[in-house]
Amino acid sequence: MRRTYLGEFEEVVLLMVAILDGEAYGATVSQELEEHTGRLVTFGTVHNTLIRLEEKGFVQSELGGATAERGGRRKRLFKVTALGSRALQDIQQLRNQLWQLIPPSALKVSGL
């Protein structure tokens, strides 16, 4: 099976969808990313990333119920698929392995 790689922003969005556990939609993902990373992200960027993740099979979406605060419009809720969960586990394992390979001297601050 050919592995599909995630870009850094795709990875962060996928992590946020997992964190929100069934309550992830474009606006909440944008807000939570800004809150937890300090990174300013536009709704459009997040929305496009969610769609791309869905096309790759890492998330799936469904329309939620209509809400009064959205003028009766339904939210598209995203959740991580089994493939997305496996991808996050693989990424975490790879990053942990790479961190273990860094020599302690490489992390010391030089006196420049």
Side-chain angles (χ1 to χ4, degrees), residues 5 18-22 24-25 27-28 31 34 36 42 48 56 62 64-65 69 71 86 88 92 94 96 106 109:
Y5 291 94
I19 290 166
L20 291 169
D21 193 26
Y25 61 98
T28 57
Q31 291 166 356
E34 286 182 18
H36 293 286
T42 65
N48 288 339
K56 291 180 177 183
E62 60 184 36
E69 72 264 8
R86 184 69 202 155
L88 287 174
Q92 182 182 32
L94 174 63
N96 289 340
V109 177

Side-chain angles (χ1 to χ4, degrees), residues 14 53 56-61 79-87:
L14 185 58
L53 289 170
K56 291 180 177 183
F58 294 118
V59 299
Q60 63 185 30
S61 68
K79 64 181 180 179
V80 177
T81 62
L83 180 63
S85 180
R86 184 69 202 155

